[in-house]
Amino acid sequence: MEDAVEMTRPSPQHPSDGPDDDQQRELVLQAAAERLRVERDEARARLESMTGDLESLFAASAGSNADDEHDPEGQTIAYERAQVSALMQGAQERLASIEAAAIRLQQGTYGICEVCREPIPAVRLEARPTAQTCVQHVPPARG
Ligand SMILES: [Zn+2]
């Protein structure tokens, strides 16, 4: 069984020194770590600015007359608040997936398909640094 797996592997360019592949992988992981750091900062900044938006919307509605039904501005604020809340939820999920990827990097499981345990191709990780599966095993989209 194990022998068969070994035999079906593509033979490396330099059979004697494998480090080339390891080195390549190391570069991919370093690039991923850098991108995750940048994206995490961006996601945090976005979340912070949305939190500010939401707070000012709450402040605005608190300051206005509580009689929302007869106050068109109050309804607009409620609508905007719902919009920002939805956006914030998306940003929070994004941040969580980035942080989960950063943890996988630390644990050494980053870039490994969760389904087939094969390394996820570098091009896919470049396009989607938070990918948890190879292209074949992408879970169906939610919603
Ligand atoms: Zn897979």
Side-chain angles (χ1 to χ4, degrees):
M1 190 69 177
E2 279 173 23
D3 282 350
V5 169
E6 201 66 335
M7 281 174 70
T8 54
R9 265 191 197 164
S11 43
Q13 294 274 324
H14 311 286
S16 55
D17 54 359
D20 266 12
D21 272 359
D22 287 352
Q23 209 173 7
Q24 192 64 34
R25 202 66 191 162
E26 190 60 35
L27 288 175
V28 169
L29 293 183
Q30 276 175 17
E34 181 60 31
R35 264 198 69 179
L36 286 172
R37 199 157 47 227
V38 170
E39 293 204 13
R40 187 173 54 188
D41 286 350
E42 281 173 6
R44 278 186 182 152
R46 205 154 49 219
L47 207 52
E48 258 176 49
S49 97
M50 280 189 273
T51 305
D53 286 352
L54 201 60
E55 274 167 6
S56 59
L57 283 171
F58 271 116
S61 69
S64 77
N65 197 316
D67 190 8
D68 276 6
E69 281 179 46
H70 302 105
D71 178 4
E73 196 175 328
Q75 283 188 348
T76 304
I77 288 169
Y79 175 77
E80 280 180 15
R81 217 158 57 192
Q83 294 281 302
V84 175
S85 293
L87 283 174
M88 272 185 77
Q89 200 183 340
Q92 267 160 353
E93 281 171 11
R94 173 102 188 110
L95 185 58
S97 74
I98 292 168
E99 282 175 346
I103 289 168
R104 289 200 301 278
L105 260 174
Q106 283 172 2
Q107 293 175 338
T109 57
Y110 179 82
I112 307 290
C113 173
E114 287 190 334
V115 178
C116 64
R117 303 282 157 194
E118 290 292 321
I120 299 170
V123 280
R124 172 155 167 76
L125 290 175
E126 276 163 24
R128 187 178 278 267
T130 57
Q132 287 172 259
T133 65
C134 66
V135 186
Q136 284 91 339
H137 297 120
V138 179
R142 285 177 303 163

